Structures are given as structure tokens and as C-alpha cells.
């Protein structure tokens, strides 16, 4: 099952209205995709220091069995949300 657990009333108080609307769209779409199991936010979302010029930094958590398919189509998936400014995969160190 998907793990999208941060209720809206716990979102940062500094989250601008446009960002809030976009985040609702992201959650609505991503919760409908069973391959996506979670969404983590970082940056100014975590520190409650957002402003109108802030970006939203997300880590999309996927079901491991779907990783190759998601990796191949990740930019297409993100483009369904609107214009894509950037997307990259996380690299882990050893």
C-alpha cells in the first residue's frame, strides 16, 4: 500500500498557496499509482522556510519490483504534473 501519511494540517505554515495546490496534485496523482509507495520532502519544506520562490524537493519511493520501469519512465511520470524543471536519481555511497 502507498505510504503518504503527512496530513495537510501538518504541512509547513510557510508553504505558499501555489505550492500547496501543486502538492495536492502530486499526492492525488501519486496515490493512484500502486508502483509508488511514498513521497518524502526535504529542503525548505522540512525547515519550514518556504517562500514564493522556493522549489519543492521530493524523493519518490517506489516498490522495488517496479524500479527498472519507473527509472526508465521517470521524466514522463513527472511531466504528467506539469513542466519539468529537473529530475535525477539519488545516488548512494558505499
Amino acid at each position: 500500500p502507498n505510504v503518504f501519511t503527512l496530513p495537510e494540517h501538518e504541512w509547513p505554515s510557510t508553504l505558499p498557496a501555489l505550492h500547496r495546490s501543486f502538492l495536492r496534485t502530486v499526492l492525488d496523482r501519486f496515490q493512484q499509482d500502486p508502483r509508488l509507495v511514498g513521497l518524502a520532502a526535504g529542503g525548505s519544506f522540512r525547515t519550514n522556510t518556504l517562500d514564493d520562490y522556493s522549489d519543492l524537493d521530493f524523493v519518490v519511493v517506489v516498490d522495488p519490483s517496479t524500479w527498472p520501469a519507473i527509472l526508465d519512465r521517470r521524466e514522463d511520470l513527472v511531466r504528467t504534473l506539469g513542466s519539468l524543471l529537473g529530475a535525477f536519481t539519488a545516488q548512494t555511497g558505499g
Side-chain angles (χ1 to χ4, degrees):
N2 293 0
V3 183
F4 297 92
T5 60
L6 187 62
E8 189 168 342
H9 71 271
E10 293 183 26
W11 293 358
S13 61
T14 59
L15 186 64
L18 186 59
H19 292 64
R20 185 173 295 274
S21 176
F22 178 71
L23 182 52
R24 285 185 194 120
T25 298
V26 170
L27 291 173
D28 287 346
R29 295 227 178 109
F30 281 14
Q31 287 175 337
Q32 295 174 25
D33 190 330
R35 302 170 303 171
L36 308 179
V37 296
L39 184 70
S44 54
F45 187 97
R46 290 220 35 216
T47 60
N48 196 18
T49 57
L50 293 132
D51 62 32
D52 289 338
Y53 303 101
S54 295
D55 63 349
L56 292 173
D57 303 301
F58 295 127
V59 175
V60 180
V61 183
V62 303
D63 179 315
S65 67
T66 66
W67 174 245
I70 292 290
L71 185 61
D72 289 343
R73 308 279 313 204
R74 67 189 178 278
E75 291 183 9
D76 295 333
L77 176 68
V78 174
R79 280 193 185 96
T80 67
L81 302 169
S83 298
L84 175 63
L85 295 179
F88 57 91
T89 55
Q91 302 297 318
T92 56

